[in-house]
Amino acid sequence: MAERPLTTTVERHFLEKGNSPHATEEFSWLLSGITLATKIIASYVQRAGLLEVMGATGRINVQGEEVQKLDEFANETLVRCLGYRGTIGILVSEEDEEPQCHPGSRFRQIHCAV
């Protein structure tokens, strides 16, 4: 029986690449926030039917679309996971009317997440 190839996660990719000039501490910290958020969101989506979180919230986003409960959860999760990292200066989402500013970064590079 043939062995299945290992799945390459974001963390594994950076560990295998070693000292890439683009894999700065700030960027790696940012990516770890994104991977954490996606894991939380995926777990929540798998249980969405049980948690009764499917359907609309009753709000309209900036593009005129009805905001779905899972969209709102995903947006809040990304804001939490990225906002507290200290590498994000501004977060922009279609679910929010205004960009969210996160001043006071402890890193020298500040990123904008859209």
Side-chain angles (χ1 to χ4, degrees):
M1 187 162 119
E3 288 188 38
R4 290 183 10 202
L6 293 174
T7 302
T8 303
T9 63
V10 173
E11 291 89 355
R12 180 184 301 271
H13 175 75
F14 276 104
L15 288 173
E16 289 173 356
K17 290 294 181 187
N19 292 330
S20 169
H22 302 292
T24 63
E25 177 186 2
E26 294 92 347
F27 188 68
S28 297
W29 188 235
L30 173 64
L31 281 181
S32 72
I34 293 170
T35 57
L36 174 61
T38 57
K39 290 174 184 178
I40 292 169
I41 294 165
S43 171
Y44 199 75
V45 167
Q46 289 177 342
R47 298 176 291 139
L50 297 173
L51 299 173
E52 297 181 11
V53 293
M54 298 176 77
T57 63
R59 293 188 317 109
I60 304 295
N61 68 16
V62 296
Q63 295 181 346
E65 303 164 338
E66 194 168 23
V67 176
Q68 299 297 308
K69 291 176 183 178
L70 288 174
D71 291 340
E72 188 172 68
F73 175 78
N75 184 57
E76 290 170 0
T77 302
L78 282 163
V79 167
R80 278 196 317 271
C81 289
L82 296 178
Y84 299 127
R85 295 265 159 183
T87 56
I88 295 291
I90 299 173
L91 282 167
V92 181
S93 169
E94 71 175 349
E95 307 304 337
D96 300 320
E97 290 185 25
E98 297 292 326
Q100 297 186 28
C101 296
H102 295 272
S105 171
R106 60 192 171 111
F107 293 101
R108 57 188 169 86
Q109 294 180 351
I110 304 295
H111 302 276
C112 176
V114 179

